Amino acid sequence: MEPLSKLLHQSQKRLLQMHFESGVGHIGCNLSCLDLLMVLHHRIMKENDQFILSKGHSAGALYITLWSLGKLKEEDLKSFHGEHTKLSGHPAPNGLKEIIFATGSLGHGFSLANGLALSKKLKKEPGRVFCLTSDGEWQEGSNWEALIFSKHQQLESLTLIVDANGLQGFGNTKEVAGMNELRKKFESFGVSVEEIDGHDLNAIEKALSANQKGPRAIIACTTKGKGVSFMENKMEWHYLSLNGDQYRQAVEDLEKS
Amino acid sequence: MRNIFCETLIKHANDPSFVFMTGDLGYMALEPLRKAAGTRFINAGISEQNMISVSAGLASQGFLPWAYSIAPFIYARPLEQIRNDVCFHDLPVKLVGNGGGYAYGVMGSSHHAIDDYGILLTLPNMRVFIPAFDSDIPPMVERLIHLKHPAYLRLGRDEKSADFDPPPYSPWRKILNGEGPALIAVGPLAGSMLNSMKALNSNQRPSLWALTELPVTFETIPAELKADIKSSNHLIVAEEHVAHGGAGEMLARILLLNGEAPKKFTHYCAQGYVSGYYGSQSFHRTESGLTAETILKDLKK
């Protein structure tokens, strides 16, 4: 996957630059899901497919992915998190065709994706619906309502991707409210589950292209702060913004990888 | 009202954009609609949050979804879904709450909806419809179908006497002439007010108006109602809703803003649970002073 690796590398650096210049945090959880978003958008999604970012705090990774597709311009990224911007810290209703729903409060996206998939089913329209949630987000009860619904309604076009980086806002997910084996829980709802390395581009592509009927879930095991030595698996990078030295170090780390 | 609502929707069930979701309620009422709508009648289960977001997803793809439950369950639990997923995106999801106000009576406070439209009207793009009479339902459903915005329909019980034939549907209707104060009754209360007020002498009798759509704007208040308020210098608002966020507050505000505030304003509204005891809808209305008898007594003072 040579060409995508190169583009991914550029995108990681552009993500860091955007967060550094805007002084915005949430970098760790953007880096954990960027590989997933890039493979999904560049290799998997076709014209009739739809995507919902349920973990709205990874808006930066989504904006960068859309930039890498040519859907957002440099000047758009420069406005990120500023005044008079369309690119707020969590996606807001902003008229972008690719951002069907604003998110930011956890536990909404998967239900919204259920609605899109139900629409396809009722209209007998082609296409797939993808939704990316975090792992901590599965502490929200509404997600389980959506999981029951997706299976009961046999929403075959629906694929759930969980960015399982193991860390959440105020601790380690296992320590905060452990969901001991999300996989088994999903399976007990009748949903087929695949667990993958969320940074192995080939594994992501293979899992997402699988010709299996949904609803299905892909639990992508990821690393918060992936690629930046001092951020990896550090909870504080859910919030912190980069200072100049840290930014230079982070870029150096990415260049070495 | 629920049966007429069901009958009316059946007439629209063949429209390809029609989809009806229920949060597992509607037993002994919605079965004919289920039959008529087929796969586009979906029992979403006891999961209001998911039901609202799914409805938003459907609406974003061109459907006109109706999301149904009993009134207390359709707006409070899934409020964030209504705000973020429906209202922020200005999607035409139609929320339907059966049994607004104290309608579920002695079922208890969990089953009452006395703060429903006040809460919902704080949200962007939201409109509220509170039919007063059974015959309001077909024209209201027609309006709701053509309304490309979020809306809440609060169903109650037609309280008018059988011999009264309401004027054609309009958000504002004068249903009784009188030389007394201007009395605005929200939704079905208009019927019971009419029953008690019509026998009064014309000098005492209020001019009674049924209000069935919110929010109201100053511009849409009929000139005749403005004249009624002006001539009596007394406005009375009666609604089965708490004071905060209700139609009374809304009307007082816009009349003040426009320099047309009457000298006297009386607000009859839901007072919550005054004694801490529970009973029928009528029991709670009486405890709240929300009855025609209370208003008549006050008028005679």
Side-chain angles (χ1 to χ4, degrees):
Chain A
M1 212 177 276
E2 189 50 37
L4 186 60
S5 305
K6 218 168 163 181
L7 188 58
L8 177 61
H9 209 228
Q10 283 173 4
S11 300
Q12 285 168 330
K13 286 202 283 185
R14 191 64 190 82
L15 177 81
L16 281 184
Q17 184 195 335
M18 183 173 81
H19 279 257
F20 171 62
E21 286 172 353
S22 57
V24 173
H26 283 148
I27 306 170
C29 36
N30 275 290
L31 287 172
S32 70
C33 67
L34 188 60
D35 294 350
L36 294 164
L37 289 179
M38 289 291 285
V39 175
L40 177 66
H41 283 81
H42 282 274
R43 292 298 178 100
I44 304 294
M45 285 179 69
K46 299 188 176 66
E47 198 192 340
N48 295 313
D49 297 349
Q50 293 168 313
F51 173 70
I52 300 282
L53 178 73
S54 192
K55 48 172 306 204
H57 52 287
S58 291
L62 179 60
Y63 299 153
I64 290 293
T65 303
L66 295 177
W67 165 81
S68 75
L69 288 162
K71 311 270 186 191
L72 285 177
K73 298 189 184 74
E74 265 301 315
E75 64 205 60
D76 296 322
L77 297 191
K78 286 197 175 107
S79 79
F80 173 62
H81 222 278
E83 304 292 0
H84 199 71
T85 184
K86 288 269 187 188
L87 306 187
S88 48
H90 299 81
N94 58 13
L96 277 178
K97 187 166 76 67
E98 290 74 17
I99 300 179
I100 305 169
F101 276 101
T103 50
S105 177
L106 298 173
H108 287 240
F110 191 45
S111 288
L112 292 165
N114 269 256
L116 300 180
L118 180 61
S119 168
K120 287 193 184 300
K121 185 181 170 185
L122 292 174
K123 292 182 183 172
K124 298 186 173 62
E125 277 181 358
R128 298 173 69 188
V129 179
F130 299 92
C131 176
L132 179 73
T133 70
S134 71
D135 49 353
E137 187 177 348
W138 282 85
Q139 289 154 6
E140 293 277 11
S142 53
N143 276 327
W144 299 98
E145 296 182 2
L147 198 65
I148 294 170
F149 187 86
S150 69
K151 181 62 188 171
H152 186 79
Q153 298 293 332
Q154 293 293 349
L155 300 178
E156 294 184 348
S157 64
L158 185 60
T159 301
L160 162 71
I161 309 164
V162 181
D163 174 11
N165 63 31
L167 287 164
Q168 56 188 91
F170 198 13
N172 179 313
T173 298
K174 277 187 184 152
E175 289 164 3
V176 174
M179 286 167 285
N180 196 18
E181 299 233 33
L182 204 49
R183 176 186 193 132
K184 283 189 187 159
K185 288 188 167 60
F186 287 171
E187 282 172 344
S188 75
F189 281 68
V191 171
S192 70
V193 186
E194 191 174 344
E195 232 163 329
I196 59 164
D197 173 350
H199 299 297
D200 177 337
L201 304 187
N202 289 316
I204 299 170
E205 182 168 9
K206 191 161 163 261
L208 289 174
S209 17
N211 200 17
Q212 209 176 335
K213 281 183 176 170
R216 53 194 296 264
I218 293 162
I219 299 177
C221 302
T222 59
T223 303
K224 196 156 186 159
K226 174 70 181 172
V228 179
S229 57
F230 59 91
M231 282 189 197
E232 287 199 354
N233 291 318
K234 294 279 190 327
M235 193 210 78
E236 55 268 35
W237 287 98
H238 190 87
Y239 300 104
L240 295 179
S241 55
L242 290 158
N243 64 32
D245 288 342
Q246 287 168 328
Y247 175 59
R248 277 183 289 278
Q249 171 72 51
V251 173
E252 214 171 279
D253 283 358
L254 286 179
E255 273 167 359
K256 273 191 270 173
S257 64
Chain B
M1 282 181 183
R2 187 167 65 162
N3 290 340
I4 293 180
F5 172 69
C6 180
E7 285 163 22
T8 309
L9 281 200
I10 286 171
K11 292 178 189 145
H12 297 278
N14 283 330
D15 186 305
S17 65
F18 178 89
V19 59
F20 189 93
M21 302 195 79
T22 171
D24 200 37
L25 285 157
Y27 175 63
M28 296 283 281
L30 299 182
E31 288 83 354
L33 180 62
R34 179 170 64 186
K35 198 172 166 203
T39 55
R40 282 176 290 113
F41 181 102
I42 294 162
N43 186 343
I46 308 156
S47 56
E48 295 80 12
Q49 298 176 77
N50 182 61
M51 177 169 77
I52 298 301
S53 300
V54 167
S55 300
L58 288 168
S60 76
Q61 302 304 302
F63 281 98
L64 294 172
W66 299 81
Y68 175 90
S69 188
I70 67 170
F73 301 162
I74 199 69
Y75 72 98
R77 170 81 66 106
L79 183 64
E80 191 183 67
Q81 279 77 7
I82 297 171
R83 185 187 67 165
N84 294 20
D85 302 341
V86 177
C87 292
F88 282 169
H89 296 87
D90 197 9
L91 289 169
V93 173
K94 306 296 161 13
L95 310 171
V96 184
N98 190 50
Y102 292 116
Y104 278 92
V106 79
M107 300 291 271
S109 51
S110 64
H111 279 54
H112 297 157
I114 54 175
D115 50 16
D116 51 351
Y117 56 75
I119 286 173
L120 287 169
L121 286 169
T122 63
L123 305 181
N125 306 309
M126 179 60 77
R127 274 81 161 162
V128 169
F129 294 74
I130 311 159
F133 312 112
D134 284 343
S135 57
D136 293 353
I137 301 285
M140 214 174 241
V141 164
E142 204 61 46
R143 286 165 92 91
L144 283 162
I145 285 171
H146 291 102
L147 180 71
K148 305 299 178 205
H149 302 284
Y152 169 58
L153 173 63
R154 185 208 238 205
L155 297 175
R157 181 174 50 83
D158 188 334
E159 299 177 24
K160 69 174 174 55
S161 60
D163 60 350
F164 175 69
D165 191 15
Y169 182 74
S170 164
W172 288 104
R173 275 168 295 176
K174 190 171 194 175
I175 55 174
L176 185 67
N177 284 309
E179 292 156 27
L183 166 56
I184 297 170
V186 178
L189 273 175
S192 57
M193 295 294 161
L194 176 69
N195 300 339
S196 304
M197 306 275 173
K198 61 188 174 194
L200 293 175
N201 293 329
S202 73
N203 60 341
Q204 240 185 354
R205 194 166 62 218
S207 63
L208 177 58
W209 290 78
L211 169 61
T212 48
E213 290 183 29
L214 300 171
V216 292
T217 59
F218 185 73
E219 293 67 32
T220 54
I221 298 176
E224 191 183 352
L225 171 57
K226 285 176 185 160
D228 284 347
I229 295 169
K230 208 166 201 167
S231 64
S232 65
N233 225 349
H234 184 187
L235 171 64
I236 304 172
V237 176
E239 58 183 324
E240 199 160 327
H241 187 281
V242 295
H244 292 299
E249 268 193 3
M250 195 183 294
L251 283 157
R253 177 178 176 275
I254 58 175
L255 290 170
L256 271 167
L257 280 172
N258 289 279
E260 300 230 0
K263 198 171 168 196
K264 194 170 173 190
F265 172 70
T266 322
H267 193 194
Y268 297 89
C269 58
Q271 302 291 341
Y273 304 94
V274 178
S275 65
Y277 288 92
Y278 300 90
S280 63
Q281 181 175 31
S282 165
F283 172 87
H284 288 292
R285 281 185 181 177
T286 304
E287 277 213 336
S288 294
L290 185 56
T291 61
E293 292 66 37
T294 315
I295 298 174
L296 288 174
K297 216 169 114 192
D298 290 348
L299 283 176
K300 284 173 187 163
K301 273 181 194 167

